[in-house]
């Protein structure tokens, strides 16, 4: 065999080898997601993820809880004079508008101020507005984890009274699928009608 | 020698002193307040917001500099701003100024009276009184409906 033919054969084999490797990489299923639920990307940013929090009556609620229900996740704190209350009232009114379909949803209220809001305090606070809503708190670390997962902005402006401080925070209502995938986000002061319309979109 | 009638003299002096007080009414008299209300709250609530409609019915600017009430340890005028989905609340350190013949609304999502550390969480049957303090030290009490 001449050298040029040999070279051509080697080159062809290399091309075939490269193609085979490329094909294998393409077909490779990749690592399995075992730890946290999948979080869908929205405009390049993924929302949702693992969390472990406590209720006022000592239950542990995680992102895997209520697997048969859609979740409504709203963040706030009980020292909040206006926004948090309004959001809870709107969620409650929207659920009422859904009638029986409201059962498909599990509303959650998560405090972003675990220093003052113990699980018991958050539970008593939300019970006042709607007993379907579960109030959640936890250690600062646990709250930081969910704040990060949902990309909530939380900041305590400086120079405030250490007992009576206010907290700046994002005021969105999140709708999550049964498996914890992000579905939608709403403003806390959207009307109950508008919120109910969004809720209806995802009912099975 | 001219006899000075002290009685008449004192009377004239007193009326001269009284004139400035009568001429400029206190700020508290020129503020009209309506629809003053606050929401009924869960027993664990530690803060509250009060809302109301204000109107300056006088001819001078009114400056509301402080508020106080029995049901909370501290009260302040506060404002709220929504920026990029983030809710920020802060004190209006200079209080609220109302130009003559103007109206101002303290409402949900806007400026309001903020009560810190409630000593008593009001229910709908309670009477709540708020006292507004003006720059000229006059004060005005307003009854708040709990809804």
């Amino acid at each position: 065999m001449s050298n040029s033919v040999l070279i051509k054969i080697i080159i062809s084999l290399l091309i075939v080898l490269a193609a085979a490797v490329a094909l294998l990489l393409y077909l490779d299923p990749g690592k399995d997601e075992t730890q946290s639920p999948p979080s869908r990307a929205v405009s390049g940013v993924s929302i949702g993820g693992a969390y472990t929090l406590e209720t006022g009556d000592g239950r542990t609620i995680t992102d895997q809880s209520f697997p048969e229900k859609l979740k409504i996740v709203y963040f706030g704190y009980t020292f909040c004079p206006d926004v948090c209350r309004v959001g809870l009232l709107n969620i409650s009114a929207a659920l009422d508008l859904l009638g029986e379909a409201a059962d498909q949803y599990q509303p959650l209220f998560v405090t972003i101020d675990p220093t003052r809001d113990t699980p018991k305090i958050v539970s008593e606070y939300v019970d006042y507005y709607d007993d379907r809503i579960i109030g959640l708190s936890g250690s600062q670390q646990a709250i930081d984890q969910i704040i990060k997962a949902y990309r909530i902005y939380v900041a305590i402006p400086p120079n405030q009274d250490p007992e009576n401080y206010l907290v700046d925070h994002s005021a969105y209502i999140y709708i999550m699928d049964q498996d914890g995938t992000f579905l939608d986000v709403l403003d806390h002061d959207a009307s109950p009608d508008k919120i109910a319309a969004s809720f209806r979109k995802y009912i099975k | 020698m001219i006899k000075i009638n002290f009685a008449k003299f004192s009377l004239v002096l007193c009326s001269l002193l009284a004139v400035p007080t009568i001429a400029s009414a206190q700020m508290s008299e020129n503020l009209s307040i309506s629809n003053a209300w606050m929401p009924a709250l869960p027993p664990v609530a530690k803060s509250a917001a009060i809302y109301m409609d204000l109107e300056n019915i006088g001819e001078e600017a009114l400056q509301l500099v402080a508020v106080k009430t029995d049901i909370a340890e501290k009260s302040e005028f506060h404002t709220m701003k929504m920026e990029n989905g983030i809710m920020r609340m802060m004190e209006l350190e200079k209080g609220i100024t109302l130009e003559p013949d103007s109206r101002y609304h303290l409402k949900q999502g806007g400026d309001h009276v903020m009560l810190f550390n409630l000593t008593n969480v009001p229910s709908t049957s309670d009477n709540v009184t708020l006292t507004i303090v003006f720059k000229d030290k006059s004060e005005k009490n307003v009854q708040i409906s709990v809804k």
Side-chain angles (χ1 to χ4, degrees):
Chain A
M1 214 185 294
S2 71
N3 276 344
S4 63
V5 174
L6 194 59
I7 286 165
K8 278 180 192 161
I9 289 171
I10 289 170
I11 288 169
S12 316
L13 281 172
L14 282 171
I15 289 169
V16 171
L17 191 65
V21 169
L23 194 64
L24 276 171
L25 283 172
Y26 173 76
L27 288 174
D28 184 51
K31 294 202 196 81
D32 272 339
E33 294 270 29
T34 48
Q35 295 306 318
S36 48
S39 31
R40 187 183 300 164
V42 174
S43 319
V45 169
S46 70
I47 293 183
Y51 56 83
T52 306
L53 299 167
E54 315 294 323
T55 66
D57 53 5
R59 284 179 292 157
T60 298
I61 304 291
T62 74
D63 49 288
Q64 305 290 307
S65 304
F66 315 111
E68 73 288 359
K69 297 205 184 202
L70 296 147
K71 262 80 64 180
I72 300 163
V73 190
Y74 184 54
F75 296 85
Y77 63 119
T78 69
F79 208 92
C80 178
D82 184 293
V83 169
C84 308
R85 197 188 114 251
V86 167
L88 288 171
L89 286 171
N90 285 339
I91 290 170
S92 180
L95 286 172
D96 285 342
L97 289 171
L98 289 180
E100 262 186 33
D103 285 343
Q104 292 195 30
Y105 276 100
Q106 178 54 58
L108 306 169
F109 178 70
V110 180
T111 183
I112 45 100
D113 180 20
T115 307
R116 285 181 301 192
D117 289 345
T118 62
K120 198 153 181 292
I121 286 176
V122 186
S123 293
E124 283 176 26
Y125 183 82
V126 296
D127 274 349
Y128 180 87
Y129 293 107
D130 194 315
D131 54 20
R132 287 170 292 199
I133 306 177
I134 294 180
L136 298 169
S137 183
S139 65
Q140 186 66 59
Q141 202 183 3
I143 296 294
D144 285 346
Q145 185 191 23
I146 189 173
I147 284 173
K148 197 165 170 216
Y150 282 73
R151 303 186 180 267
I152 305 289
Y153 175 88
V154 177
I156 301 177
N159 305 322
Q160 289 193 82
D161 184 337
E163 274 178 22
N164 294 326
Y165 55 88
L166 295 171
V167 185
D168 291 345
H169 63 98
S170 310
Y172 292 122
I173 299 171
Y174 296 86
I175 303 177
M176 314 298 281
D177 209 344
Q178 277 106 343
D179 63 359
T181 314
F182 169 75
L183 290 174
D184 210 342
V185 65
L186 300 158
D187 288 328
H188 77 285
D189 55 358
S191 69
D193 279 332
K194 191 157 180 252
I195 297 174
S198 292
F199 287 170
R200 270 192 211 100
K201 265 201 289 190
Y202 306 104
I203 292 169
K204 322 278 168 175
Chain B
M1 208 161 74
I2 302 165
K3 258 200 212 164
I4 298 173
N5 184 327
F6 279 108
K8 281 192 188 153
F9 179 71
S10 326
L11 198 63
V12 170
L13 198 63
C14 284
S15 41
L16 280 173
L17 287 169
V19 166
T21 322
I22 293 166
S24 66
Q26 295 184 308
M27 285 190 181
S28 59
E29 292 161 39
N30 284 326
L31 182 67
S32 167
I33 300 175
S34 52
N35 304 322
W37 74 282
M38 68 182 290
L41 294 166
V44 290
K46 296 177 220 76
S47 73
I50 298 182
Y51 312 103
M52 63 187 79
D53 297 331
L54 306 169
E55 190 183 352
N56 182 346
I57 53 174
E59 284 160 13
E60 314 245 334
L62 296 178
Q63 284 172 277
L64 292 66
V65 298
V67 268
K68 50 189 181 182
T69 176
D70 281 343
I71 64 162
E73 281 179 12
K74 191 166 70 154
S75 316
E76 291 171 355
F77 288 111
H78 269 232
T79 184
M80 286 167 61
K81 257 190 293 187
M82 188 68 132
E83 281 165 13
N84 301 321
I86 300 165
M87 182 54 69
R88 295 182 203 273
M89 293 178 267
M90 58 208 98
E91 189 191 358
L92 287 166
E93 282 172 25
K94 298 201 182 121
I96 294 174
T97 299
L98 274 152
E99 292 305 318
D101 218 23
S102 68
R103 288 202 171 97
Y104 200 78
H105 302 291
L106 301 184
K107 59 187 195 293
Q108 277 181 199
D111 293 359
H112 52 278
V113 172
M114 168 99 193
L115 304 186
F116 290 85
N117 241 348
L118 296 172
T119 52
N120 178 28
V121 180
S123 61
T124 49
S125 55
D126 287 339
N127 285 324
V128 177
T129 307
L130 183 75
T131 304
I132 297 177
V133 183
F134 297 81
K135 184 121 193 249
D136 66 352
K137 309 261 195 298
S138 61
E139 295 185 356
K140 186 180 179 77
N141 287 338
V142 52
Q143 291 304 312
I144 312 291
S145 297
V146 181
K147 297 194 185 169

